[in-house]
C-alpha cells in the first residue's frame, strides 16, 4: 500500500492537490475537513458540535476525528493506499493513525509538507471565502486563529515524521501544475 500524509497550514493547497494526486496514484482521499463538513450539512449531532468549533477556527476533539478515520479505513479493505488530507493535526492523532495502520498491517510511507507563508495563506482563504461561503474563511480573525492552532498543535508533527525519516518539504507557492509535479516527483522517490 501507498499511504501518504499531505501536510501544511490552512490554505496551503492540501485539498486542491489531493484531488489531483488521488487520480494519478489511484488512492483513496480521506479529508477530515470534508468529512466534518458532510456531518454539518447532514445536521448530525457530531456535525453541530464540530461546527461550533470550526466556525471559531478551533480544532475539533481528537476522538471525533480519530473515530471518523477508523471507520473509513476499515470500510476500504481493498484500497491501494490512502491520502490523508488535514489529518493528523495533533500528536495524539498521529499516534492513533500509526496504531490503526499497524492493525491493518501497513504504515505511513511519507509526509509531504506544503510550505506557504502566512500572508499568502490569508489572501487565499479570504479569496475562497468570497466564492465558497465557507464560514471559517469569512474573516481574517478566524483565519489567523486557524493559523495559530496550526502553529501550536499541528506544526510539531513535522518533527514527529522527520524523526521517522518520512518528512519531505515542498514549496507550496507557484502554479498548481508545478506544485503537483513536485509532489509527484517526491512520491516516486518514496514508493
Ligand atoms: P480543512 O478542511 O482541512 O481546511 P483547510 O486546511 O483550510 O483546507 P485546505 O488546506 O485543504 O485548503 P486548500 O489549501 O486546498 O479544515 C477545516 C477545519 O476543520 C479546521 O480548521 C478544523 O476546525 C477542522 N478539522 C479538520 N480536520 C481536523 C482534524 N484532523 N483535527 C481537528 N480538527 C479538524 O485551498 C485553499 C485555497 O487556496 C483554495 O481556494 C485554493 O483554490 C487556493 N489554492 C490552492 N493552491 C493554490 C496555489 N498554488 N496558488 C494559489 N491559490 C491556491
Amino acid at each position: 500500500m501507498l499511504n501518504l500524509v499531505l501536510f501544511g497550514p490552512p490554505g496551503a493547497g492540501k485539498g486542491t492537490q489531493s484531488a489531483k494526486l488521488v487520480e494519478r496514484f489511484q488512492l483513496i482521499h480521506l479529508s477530515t475537513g470534508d468529512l466534518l463538513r458532510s456531518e454539518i450539512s447532514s445536521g448530525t449531532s457530531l456535525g453541530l458540535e464540530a461546527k461550533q468549533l470550526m466556525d471559531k477556527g478551533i480544532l475539533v476533539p481528537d476522538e471525533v476525528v480519530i473515530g471518523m478515520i477508523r471507520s473509513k479505513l476499515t470500510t476500504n479493505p481493498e484500497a491501494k493506499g490512502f491520502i490523508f488530507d488535514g489529518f493528523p493535526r495533533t500528536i495524539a492523532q498521529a499516534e492513533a493513525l500509526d496504531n490503526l495502520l499497524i492493525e491493518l498491517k501497513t504504515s505511513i510511507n511519507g509526509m509531504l509538507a506544503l510550505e506557504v507563508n502566512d500572508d499568502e495563506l490569508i489572501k487565499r482563504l479570504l479569496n475562497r471565502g468570497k466564492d465558497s461561503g465557507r464560514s471559517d474563511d469569512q474573516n481574517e480573525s478566524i483565519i489567523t486563529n486557524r493559523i495559530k492552532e496550526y502553529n501550536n498543535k499541528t506544526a510539531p508533527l513535522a518533527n514527529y515524521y522527520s524523526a521517522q525519516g518520512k518528512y519531505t518539504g515542498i514549496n507550496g507557492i507557484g502554479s498548481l501544475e508545478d506544485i503537483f509535479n513536485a509532489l509527484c516527483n517526491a512520491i516516486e522517490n518514496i514508493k
Side-chain angles (χ1 to χ4, degrees):
M1 280 176 97
L2 177 63
N3 298 310
L4 303 168
V5 173
L6 196 55
F7 187 71
K14 302 181 297 286
T16 308
Q17 295 293 338
S18 292
K20 293 162 77 66
L21 291 169
V22 290
E23 204 175 309
R24 168 72 63 94
F25 294 96
Q26 302 288 298
L27 303 171
I28 292 185
H29 181 203
L30 291 184
S31 157
T32 39
D34 288 350
L35 292 171
L36 290 166
R37 281 185 289 277
S38 124
E39 295 283 340
I40 292 171
S41 53
S42 309
T44 65
S45 58
L46 189 159
L48 290 175
E49 185 195 332
K51 185 169 168 35
Q52 310 265 349
L53 298 166
M54 290 166 75
D55 282 355
K56 296 189 187 114
I58 299 171
L59 294 183
V60 307
D62 286 335
E63 54 278 17
V64 171
V65 282
I66 292 167
M68 292 190 319
I69 289 288
R70 178 184 289 117
S71 85
K72 289 287 166 189
L73 287 177
T74 49
T75 49
N76 284 290
E78 304 300 324
K80 285 186 180 173
F82 295 91
I83 290 194
F84 297 94
D85 162 9
F87 179 90
R89 259 175 155 103
T90 62
I91 297 282
Q93 292 180 21
E95 289 170 348
L97 178 59
D98 280 348
N99 290 332
L100 282 171
L101 293 175
I102 289 170
E103 280 173 36
L104 299 175
K105 300 191 173 33
T106 184
S107 61
I108 292 294
N109 298 81
M111 166 191 262
L112 303 163
L114 292 169
E115 296 165 346
V116 178
N117 62 59
D118 288 0
D119 287 349
E120 173 73 12
L121 298 174
I122 294 168
K123 195 174 84 189
R124 285 183 190 179
L125 293 176
L126 285 174
N127 206 30
R128 180 172 66 185
K130 282 185 211 148
D131 305 326
S132 71
R134 243 178 81 165
S135 48
D136 56 348
D137 288 342
Q138 293 304 315
N139 73 57
E140 195 162 333
S141 78
I142 302 174
I143 293 171
T144 48
N145 209 26
R146 288 160 66 192
I147 295 174
K148 206 160 26 148
E149 282 277 270
Y150 172 83
N151 288 331
N152 290 338
K153 298 178 182 166
T154 308
L157 290 180
N159 286 337
Y160 180 90
Y161 285 95
S162 288
Q164 298 181 18
K166 292 179 178 173
Y167 178 94
T168 306
I170 304 279
N171 178 10
I173 296 190
S175 72
L176 297 189
E177 241 2 85
D178 285 349
I179 298 167
F180 178 63
N181 288 335
L183 286 166
C184 290
N185 288 337
I187 293 169
E188 292 301 337
N189 289 330
I190 287 169
K191 272 165 84 179

